[in-house]
Amino acid sequence: MTTRTDTHFTPIDPDLYAKAFQLLDPTPAPAAPAAPAAPSPVSVILAAAPPAHRPGPVEKTLTDALAFLDTHGWAKHRLIHPEGARCSIGALRAASGARNAAYRDAGKLLLDEARRQHGQHWAAIPAWNDAHTGPQVRSVWEAAIQRAHHSNI
């Protein structure tokens, strides 16, 4: 049995494939070495931007409550003032929308911070709120928010 093998291939242009790939991906031939390119503005922003912080439910409740106090005002000796201002508990309730876990944990953290700054004898937020000035109360709120932030809660 004899098998014939034809070894006569059609000649091709040796640069045919190089030309075809250049058409598909036109990359200029490297010229003289250039100075390093400056990073694009987007890569600079992405490299410099820290990861986005997502506040936990306690931090969010405390932050929203303090924003509520900043917007509507802070009150003493009543939960809600007729003009809309609220005491610390009233602001927590407005921010949480319900007496849920975030509300309870935010209240515990706020009271703990009040005790750290103003003494351990405070049994509840309303008594502490009514016995202090606006700047003293705000200082406790800000410290509680920072603690929640650092604890990632």
Side-chain angles (χ1 to χ4, degrees), residues 49-93:
H53 171 71
R54 291 189 178 153
V58 173
E59 180 184 354
K60 182 173 179 359
T61 299
L62 289 167
T63 302
D64 291 351
L66 184 57
F68 187 93
L69 291 175
D70 288 341
T71 303
H72 295 86
W74 170 71
K76 283 185 170 189
H77 307 294
R78 55 181 13 159
L79 186 67
I80 303 172
H81 191 273
E83 294 175 5
R86 295 193 180 208
C87 71
S88 293
I89 286 290
L92 275 175
R93 287 182 185 171

Side-chain angles (χ1 to χ4, degrees), residues 12 15 27 41 45-47 57 75 79 86 92 96 99 105-106 109 124-125 128 130 132 135 139:
I12 60 163
D15 294 326
T27 310
I45 291 170
L46 292 177
L79 186 67
R86 295 193 180 208
L92 275 175
S96 67
R99 293 183 187 180
D105 292 343
L109 185 61
I125 292 172
W128 161 79
D130 295 347
H132 291 86
S139 171

Side-chain angles (χ1 to χ4, degrees), residues 108-125 127-128 132 147:
K108 289 176 187 174
L109 185 61
L110 187 65
L111 182 58
D112 185 58
E113 187 58 39
R115 289 173 175 159
R116 285 176 67 173
Q117 289 188 29
H118 300 287
Q120 293 295 318
H121 61 281
W122 298 106
I125 292 172
W128 161 79
H132 291 86
R147 284 178 60 191

Side-chain angles (χ1 to χ4, degrees), residues 23-51:
L23 290 173
L24 292 172
D25 184 23
T27 310
S40 69
V42 172
S43 64
V44 171
I45 291 170
L46 292 177

Side-chain angles (χ1 to χ4, degrees), residues 10-35:
T10 306
I12 60 163
D13 180 4
D15 294 326
L16 179 65
Y17 288 109
K19 290 176 186 174
F21 286 120
Q22 186 178 22
L23 290 173
L24 292 172
D25 184 23
T27 310

